Amino acid sequence: MNKIRTQISTLVFILCLLLSPLSRASAFDLIELDLEITLNQPQFSFSFDQLNQPKTGFTLFNPEEASLQLASAFLPSLGLLPEEDIQQGFVLYDGTLYLEVAANDSQSGRATLRTTYRMSVDGRQLERAFLRNLFVRQGRYDDARARVRARAARLADARVMRFVEDENGGGRWVRAVRALSTDARANIRFMPRMEPDGVLGHYGYNVDVDGNAFVWAVVDKNSRYAVGLNVDDDNDGVFNRDDNCRNSSNPDQMDTDVDGLGNECDSDDDGDGVEDELDNCPLIENAAQDDVDGDGAGDVCDLDDDNDGVLDNVDACPVTFTGSVVDAQGCSVDDRCPCDNSSGWKNHGSYVRCVAKASEALLEVGLLTTAEKDALVSQAAQSKCGHR
Amino acid sequence: MWPPIVSCRGRGAFLLSSLLICIFFFGCALHKGQPTTLAIRSDTSKSISTVLLSTNSARRALLRNAEVTSGIVNALPENVKIYIMVNDKDAFVIGNNPWPDRIEFVEIEFEKSITMWPQDPFLVLKDENQTVLLASMNFERASDELMAQKIAEVTGYKLRKSDLLFEGGNIVSDDTSVFIGANTIRQNARHYQMSDVEIALAFEEELGKRVLVVGPLPQPVAHIDMMMTPIGENRLVVADAAAGASIVEKLLESEPQVVKDFEKHCEEYFYGHPAITEVLGRDGTMLRPPDLNGAAQKMISKSKELAPLLDKIAESLETYGYEIHRMPFLHGGPTSEGGENMPQVSSPSFPMLTYNNVLQEHSQSSQRVYVPTYGLSALDRAAINVWEDLGFETEPISGFEISAMYGGALRCAVKVLH
């Protein structure tokens, strides 16, 4: 058999792409590494243009010009091994870029290696059906949930993940966030639309004039990197891009005042100028904060404004004086027989007869005692109501 | 030394020549009926439970087959145990493996090259109590001779070295008979300076079944498993080059672009990807894919020339009581050199489109066949139809067009161990 040798100075690259996307979620997939070269230059760029993936590739910086053996692969379908776990909500968007570097010379190091990955985004993958199928294939979601996530997926939520190995030979995916100038880890914010600037951990996305979309990231050393959408910080099933509370779980996305801030994280849900904590109706606009019965629930949201035990929707007398005894229609004796009758009483006797009748009705249903009824009638008789 | 040969003089006529097609039947009394001792595993066995594949990497070989390996693994039932022999495991990554307990990698030293054809270096003999791997006396193709030893170490099967030379692809069998290509008989006869008859008898003793030698010399197709398939119950499927040529000829007339695209596809993917248009050989020369423009037409002509030979073979087998069925076939594969010697691979060319190089399972209620397909739909479909008409459930496995340029397909790439 002939031995294959590759040289940077020529354009002979050994490329082999496993182009067959997994047709079944449970399929065996043996993948051959795509590119193997010997590098002894300060910089090397490679593009997977031949894979119909414009702007998918990497640039490797090797300032020490160490002699390095490079192997890389682009895995266009699932790049995770079955035993690997990732942050819930993270979705492999376009595949995995795998880069492995070995120093040919034991004196050579990898410490100064920096790589910029660029991964194109197939526009087709923004299609809901494609993404939904991808999510289902990943085995994390059922079809209904997958549809929800697919609808919310956006390029702007792209992230870069790095596979970190553990002592036991396993590992996990974490965000690629290491800063260049310090060993301390820092959460570097997502910065869209910036070109790679060589600072580790920066990542972003671009859409060029031709409409080709790609995400990029500046990462370090060699490892496996995946570019994807980390779209659900609060794991509430709603992608960040569409989540009106990114850091508070609110699956229902309730936004009463439609100000773009979900109720879960909005301090004034109804936008009436009264903070929720002080608002006697936090979900209904009531700047005046009316509360007839003083029970702490504003009238606009109080189902029983007069707190007489008869709900407002069936209360014929919705503003009964607090503490009054009411009948089944929510009306007290005073409601039935107001002293200040706008239409006027025929005479004082009419008023007293009204009070007697109303209180008798309450006596008959046991809401008043005889003594209480007598007291009411006596009070009415001694009043000036109905006098002209 | 081989075991004593039972003389069968006078029991059968023997003529092997380049002019006459002869199927030679050695029906020695000792082995009439069902074999009772250790015997070569039948191609028509009940079910497949353990197989061996081998996978190359581009760092070692020109022919890549990671994708084909994946396809075979996914096509076989989940209860089939699979050994994958590799000599460069670092060149691969497992993108997904839903069956970690089912698939086991067997590593050969990086310095040793292996091909993707574990069918050939050894045979599998079985009886009720044991499985024995029978290695060819010599096997000088890369380091494939290590395959039997390595798999024996892993499985615990016994390993025995035969006194005979053979390639597994030139031997097929059903429950009662083993069919051996004439090239193998003649090769041994020359090596041992003995007659073809004596060699055939030696094979019979070694393999535990009556032997039918399939000529002529030299064989028109390098390995008989590319052109004939026993399917049990005294039935054989024999390649029909005329039918294959007719199908492709009609396709060339009605949809010439389809054929052109197929030729172009084979060229472009020869080294695994269209971007790879050349590779640097060990000797420093630049290697390029074969030029297949117009190759299909040439293969149609070659197939038409070959057709009468295959028809004669089919007729001869019929006289031995076999029920013959024909399968479309288009000639191709590497050009062979050498007359009566084992063919030497010179260079790959248009793929040999064979649908005889299959795996089979026979149960009480059904028969299943795993069929290689190549991407020339009209021919693939015609072949699948034949298998289905024979009562088989079919499981096509795609991706064999490049390996077929080297003259190998599915059975060549899979050694059934159990």
Side-chain angles (χ1 to χ4, degrees):
Chain A
M1 286 293 176
N2 293 304
K3 182 180 178 183
I4 313 298
R5 290 191 290 116
T6 60
Q7 302 174 357
I8 300 174
S9 58
T10 70
L11 292 177
V12 178
F13 294 122
I14 305 299
L15 291 174
C16 182
L17 170 68
L18 189 68
L19 284 171
S20 55
L22 294 177
S23 58
R24 291 177 283 179
S26 60
F28 176 71
D29 204 3
L30 184 66
I31 300 166
E32 184 168 1
L33 297 183
D34 285 348
L35 175 65
E36 294 183 10
I37 59 172
T38 300
L39 173 70
N40 48 21
Q41 294 174 333
Q43 182 175 326
F44 173 70
S45 289
F46 179 75
S47 174
F48 289 89
D49 282 342
Q50 296 87 351
L51 310 180
N52 296 320
Q53 300 278 353
K55 300 182 177 61
T56 294
F58 62 88
T59 298
L60 193 66
F61 301 95
N62 178 26
E64 293 177 356
E65 298 190 36
S67 175
L68 304 169
Q69 200 68 27
L70 226 79
S72 83
F74 173 68
L75 312 178
S77 57
L78 297 177
L80 295 177
L81 304 184
E83 64 273 15
E84 292 178 355
D85 200 6
I86 51 174
Q87 292 181 17
Q88 197 156 1
F90 177 77
V91 171
L92 275 181
Y93 193 67
D94 205 55
T96 303
L97 284 177
Y98 172 97
L99 181 69
E100 184 180 74
V101 180
N104 289 331
D105 175 2
S106 60
Q107 298 301 317
S108 303
R110 303 180 314 190
T112 56
L113 282 178
R114 267 200 333 275
T115 312
T116 301
Y117 271 134
R118 304 177 310 282
M119 183 174 284
S120 74
V121 177
D122 185 350
R124 182 178 56 121
Q125 295 192 5
L126 287 170
E127 293 175 12
R128 290 177 191 176
F130 186 94
L131 275 177
R132 183 202 66 209
N133 292 339
L134 175 67
F135 299 159
V136 171
R137 270 170 30 212
Q138 288 192 327
R140 289 185 169 268
Y141 312 113
D142 59 26
D143 189 59
R145 200 163 166 85
R147 285 172 200 269
V148 170
R149 288 183 172 273
R151 273 198 296 272
R154 295 293 183 270
L155 173 63
D157 287 310
R159 293 289 186 272
V160 176
M161 309 294 285
R162 180 167 67 94
F163 185 68
V164 177
E165 292 179 353
D166 60 29
E167 296 170 349
N168 302 321
R172 61 193 177 93
W173 288 92
V174 298
R175 292 190 193 186
V177 291
R178 201 163 76 92
L180 179 64
S181 58
T182 170
D183 288 336
R185 289 181 176 270
N187 256 332
I188 297 179
R189 293 163 62 85
F190 170 57
M191 286 173 272
R193 297 195 184 88
M194 284 179 62
E195 288 297 328
D197 58 3
V199 177
L200 278 175
H202 283 201
Y203 47 93
Y205 76 94
N206 269 23
V207 180
D208 63 20
V209 293
D210 296 327
N212 294 316
F214 63 95
V215 295
W216 57 264
V218 182
V219 297
D220 66 332
K221 293 201 230 178
N222 52 285
S223 185
R224 289 167 58 206
Y225 291 93
V227 178
L229 297 175
N230 189 357
V231 295
D232 189 6
D233 284 338
D234 56 12
N235 198 29
D236 60 3
V238 183
F239 289 117
N240 286 355
R241 182 74 172 175
D242 293 330
D243 196 338
N244 55 21
C245 282
R246 288 195 175 188
N247 296 309
S248 304
S249 177
N250 64 331
D252 60 8
Q253 293 288 286
M254 186 72 73
D255 179 11
T256 302
D257 57 0
V258 201
D259 63 351
L261 207 54
N263 288 357
E264 194 64 35
C265 53
D266 190 343
S267 61
D268 180 13
D269 289 350
D270 54 17
D272 60 6
V274 182
E275 295 287 302
D276 288 346
E277 288 180 359
L278 302 173
D279 196 337
N280 59 18
C281 279
L283 294 179
I284 301 176
E285 188 181 358
N286 66 332
Q289 297 284 285
D290 291 335
D291 182 9
V292 166
D293 56 7
D295 63 354
D299 288 344
V300 294
C301 62
D302 193 346
L303 296 178
D304 181 12
D305 284 347
D306 54 13
N307 217 24
D308 61 3
V310 178
L311 295 180
D312 290 346
N313 60 333
V314 295
D315 195 337
C317 304
V319 197
T320 303
F321 190 75
T322 303
S324 300
V325 176
V326 299
D327 57 21
Q329 288 75 42
C331 297
S332 64
V333 172
D334 278 342
D335 289 335
R336 296 281 181 205
C337 311
C339 184
D340 295 327
N341 187 343
S342 59
S343 59
W345 292 104
K346 187 175 177 183
N347 50 45
H348 178 68
S350 299
Y351 170 74
V352 175
R353 279 193 292 278
C354 179
V355 171
K357 184 178 175 187
S359 57
E360 182 68 30
L362 291 174
L363 174 66
E364 284 176 1
V365 297
L367 290 174
L368 285 177
T369 64
T370 301
E372 287 168 339
K373 175 233 170 193
D374 288 342
L376 281 171
V377 173
S378 173
Q379 191 176 5
Q382 291 172 25
S383 72
K384 292 185 185 321
C385 302
H387 282 293
R388 292 192 180 272
Chain B
M1 293 298 293
W2 58 46
I5 296 173
V6 174
S7 171
C8 293
R9 282 182 193 161
R11 284 183 177 265
F14 183 95
L15 271 176
L16 275 179
S17 74
S18 59
L19 297 176
L20 269 178
I21 312 296
C22 234
I23 308 299
F24 194 90
F25 170 45
F26 291 93
C28 296
L30 281 176
H31 298 290
K32 275 186 182 165
Q34 294 293 326
T36 55
T37 58
L38 206 58
I40 185 171
R41 184 199 155 269
S42 166
D43 286 291
T44 59
S45 64
K46 286 183 183 167
S47 64
I48 298 171
S49 64
T50 311
V51 301
L52 169 66
L53 314 176
S54 62
T55 303
N56 286 323
S57 83
R59 298 198 284 208
R60 303 296 315 172
L62 289 171
L63 178 58
R64 298 169 169 237
N65 70 324
E67 194 171 341
V68 165
T69 298
S70 299
I72 295 171
V73 169
N74 291 320
L76 291 173
E78 289 185 17
N79 60 343
V80 175
K81 170 79 178 175
I82 298 179
Y83 293 99
I84 301 179
M85 197 162 285
V86 291
N87 63 345
D88 188 7
K89 189 142 186 275
D90 290 339
F92 300 98
V93 61
I94 299 176
N96 189 44
N97 183 7
W99 312 291
D101 295 328
R102 176 192 177 209
I103 295 164
E104 192 172 328
F105 285 88
V106 180
E107 292 194 62
I108 284 190
E109 298 79 14
F110 180 81
E111 298 74 31
K112 307 291 183 186
S113 297
I114 53 171
T115 70
M116 60 172 283
W117 317 122
Q119 178 60 240
D120 299 321
F122 63 99
L123 303 173
V124 179
L125 308 182
K126 303 187 89 64
D127 64 17
E128 287 177 2
N129 301 315
Q130 59 179 331
T131 297
V132 175
L133 307 184
L134 184 70
S136 173
M137 182 176 70
N138 286 328
F139 196 82
E140 294 174 356
R141 188 178 69 192
S143 298
D144 285 357
E145 62 184 352
L146 292 176
M147 288 186 176
Q149 175 197 325
K150 287 291 181 184
I151 198 63
E153 285 170 9
V154 170
T155 58
Y157 294 147
K158 289 181 188 169
L159 174 64
R160 176 154 65 87
K161 190 149 225 177
S162 175
D163 291 322
L164 296 165
L165 300 161
F166 51 77
E167 291 191 349
N170 212 25
I171 300 175
V172 298
S173 80
D174 58 18
D175 289 339
T176 57
S177 307
V178 55
F179 305 82
I180 303 178
N183 285 354
T184 297
I185 302 297
R186 182 56 57 86
Q187 183 193 21
N188 281 277
R190 286 210 165 135
H191 178 80
Y192 285 107
Q193 296 293 307
M194 298 178 74
S195 70
D196 295 330
V197 175
E198 289 167 314
I199 296 300
L201 288 169
F203 268 106
E204 184 169 297
E205 191 68 29
E206 186 82 292
L207 302 183
K209 290 180 184 174
R210 69 178 190 185
V211 167
L212 276 78
V213 179
V214 181
L217 273 169
Q219 290 175 217
V221 178
H223 283 172
I224 60 169
D225 71 351
M226 302 289 275
M227 48 146 280
M228 66 176 284
T229 314
I231 58 172
E233 298 172 348
N234 270 359
R235 298 178 299 163
L236 293 170
V237 178
V238 177
D240 187 343
S246 170
I247 291 169
V248 182
E249 199 165 36
K250 283 178 187 154
L251 192 62
L252 207 49
E253 286 167 11
S254 60
E255 293 179 88
Q257 193 58 42
V258 168
V259 179
K260 212 171 174 55
D261 288 344
F262 180 72
E263 289 169 347
K264 189 168 176 231
H265 167 83
C266 291
E267 270 186 46
E268 286 185 341
Y269 282 83
F270 188 70
Y271 292 129
H273 194 275
I276 310 171
T277 55
E278 56 188 12
V279 298
L280 197 60
R282 190 194 295 268
D283 57 1
T285 59
M286 208 54 93
L287 305 173
R288 292 180 179 84
D291 180 4
L292 298 183
N293 187 26
Q297 182 60 66
K298 291 176 192 163
M299 291 306 127
I300 290 170
S301 304
K302 281 201 167 182
S303 298
K304 286 179 178 175
E305 285 172 20
L306 176 64
L309 274 176
L310 295 177
D311 293 345
K312 282 278 187 186
I313 290 174
E315 281 172 26
S316 296
L317 288 164
E318 217 166 13
T319 65
Y320 281 94
Y322 288 98
E323 180 185 315
I324 303 298
H325 301 273
R326 306 303 301 275
M327 178 68 64
F329 168 90
L330 194 75
H331 199 35
T335 55
S336 58
E337 293 173 350
E340 296 162 348
N341 296 327
M342 292 301 292
Q344 300 299 315
V345 173
S346 58
S347 60
S349 69
F350 191 89
M352 179 178 289
L353 303 182
T354 171
Y355 304 90
N356 283 88
N357 199 262
V358 301
L359 300 175
Q360 304 171 58
E361 289 182 302
H362 295 254
S363 69
Q364 282 184 344
S365 55
S366 66
Q367 323 174 88
R368 180 183 292 165
V369 64
Y370 302 88
V371 186
T373 60
Y374 307 95
L376 197 58
S377 312
L379 201 55
D380 288 346
R381 188 65 243 164
I384 297 288
N385 287 343
V386 172
W387 281 112
E388 287 176 351
D389 289 345
L390 285 169
F392 282 83
E393 291 172 28
T394 55
E395 182 77 37
I397 306 178
S398 62
F400 282 94
E401 56 272 18
I402 305 304
S403 66
M405 293 171 75
Y406 287 86
L410 175 59
R411 184 181 185 265
C412 305
V414 181
K415 192 69 179 182
V416 179
L417 300 175
H418 196 67

